[in-house]
Amino acid sequence: MEKGFGQGFERLRGTGEALREEGGVPGGWQGGRGVLEGAFQVMTVLDRAGQAGLTSLAAQSGLPKSTVYRLLGQLAELGAVERQADVYRLGPRLFRLGQGWQPYPGLRTAAREPVRRLVSATGATVGVTVLREGRTLVLDWAAGQDTALAPLLDVASWPWFTAAGKVQAAGRPDPVPDAPASWHREASAVRERGVAFDRGEVVDGVCCAAVPLLGAGGTAVGALCVLTTVSERLEPLADIAQRAAEAISARLHRRRPAATPPRPPLSRSPALPH
């Protein structure tokens, strides 16, 4: 734990005591835990909104405005929130802490070189994602040649029904929350092909092919996705992405890929256009 972070936490707990005395913290909150819950509630709103003012944060979090103001002050001191004029957004401390999150041991390291080669070979934008709490979370993006996709690289959380989310959800026994009635049939097709596609359903004009990254026991621990604005590229991109995903999965298992016959192409597609 960094020096200063623990001291800031103590200040945050002290703020909770003062707020309770003033009636700014709901009566059901007890000790530092209640203040932390409020702080995370505020940061969750900021994560969803990108940035927001004090009044909006109080309304969306359901907390008193005075409580949100004091929490924001403490979070800003910790570097968890930053303020510009009257607008707040998540701060650099959270970014640094988030980079240390390991959803599966070695996933980022195992993916680094295969992702680099995939971008070099195709020019496509490539991402590594995990499915958590009903959301598709982006661990890393590697930008390709299509500059139209650049704004998407700033988005770290997507709905579960992206191609990357579907290819992971399809292999899980637990039901997907709020899944449409057609999901069972679609999940079966995804499992059979080993790839999920998004042809502009999530972001208009953006297509995606996603393949699973397999950990121990052959379960999907993440997904490799390739993005393009040219729908005709999806099938051949999926073929190449599957080979990259096999290399990543083999690295996760700390073994060399087994010598297997070439995977048949998903379709008879022409060479990738540039």
Side-chain angles (χ1 to χ4, degrees):
M1 182 177 293
E2 296 181 30
K3 183 179 180 181
F5 186 81
Q7 296 171 356
F9 173 65
E10 291 302 323
R11 290 197 301 272
L12 191 58
R13 295 205 321 189
T15 298
E17 299 296 332
L19 288 173
R20 278 193 299 278
E21 291 175 2
E22 297 173 11
V25 174
W29 289 17
Q30 298 297 325
R33 179 179 176 181
V35 179
L36 285 176
E37 288 174 349
F40 273 94
Q41 201 166 337
V42 170
M43 290 188 290
T44 298
V45 173
L46 280 177
D47 179 48
R48 187 168 56 241
Q51 61 180 27
L54 176 60
T55 301
S56 177
L57 283 171
Q60 294 183 61
S61 67
L63 299 175
K65 193 171 182 179
S66 60
T67 300
V68 175
Y69 177 77
R70 291 177 181 271
L71 288 173
L72 286 169
Q74 292 294 328
L75 290 169
E77 287 187 31
L78 296 172
V81 165
E82 61 183 14
R83 177 181 179 179
Q84 185 172 14
D86 294 327
V87 173
Y88 297 87
R89 52 176 169 261
L90 295 180
R93 173 68 68 82
L94 285 186
F95 174 79
R96 293 196 299 272
L97 292 174
Q99 294 302 299
W101 180 54
Q102 291 290 342
Y104 188 84
L107 179 56
R108 276 194 170 105
T109 301
R112 189 172 296 123
E113 182 58 23
V115 165
R116 186 195 65 79
R117 291 200 299 264
L118 181 58
V119 174
S120 177
T122 65
T125 293
V126 180
V128 177
T129 74
V130 294
L131 188 63
R132 287 289 190 280
E133 299 179 349
R135 302 285 295 178
T136 304
L137 306 182
V138 181
L139 292 183
D140 291 300
W141 278 120
Q145 298 173 357
D146 194 338
T147 56
L149 297 173
L152 299 183
L153 306 190
D154 293 329
V155 183
S157 176
W158 294 89
W160 76 267
F161 49 81
T162 61
K166 287 180 177 180
V167 83
Q168 295 173 78
R172 297 186 177 183
D174 50 311
V176 177
D178 302 322
S182 60
W183 168 240
H184 180 74
R185 183 174 63 254
E186 184 179 359
S188 178
V190 169
R191 287 193 299 270
E192 182 178 349
R193 300 189 71 180
V195 60
F197 293 104
D198 168 15
R199 294 179 170 86
E201 290 94 346
V202 178
V203 178
D204 188 39
V206 177
C207 300
C208 176
V211 294
L213 300 174
L214 305 180
T219 58
V221 298
L224 183 71
C225 58
V226 286
L227 273 63
T228 177
T229 54
V230 183
S231 60
E232 292 79 10
R233 301 191 70 194
L234 272 185
E235 299 281 350
L237 279 173
D239 287 335
I240 301 173
Q242 282 178 321
R243 294 195 291 273
E246 289 168 357
I248 295 170
S249 298
R251 287 169 178 246
L252 287 175
H253 302 160
R254 289 181 169 84
R255 58 176 174 81
R256 295 180 63 83
T260 56
R263 181 185 296 273
L266 294 172
S267 67
R268 297 181 180 273
S269 303
L272 291 177
H274 293 286

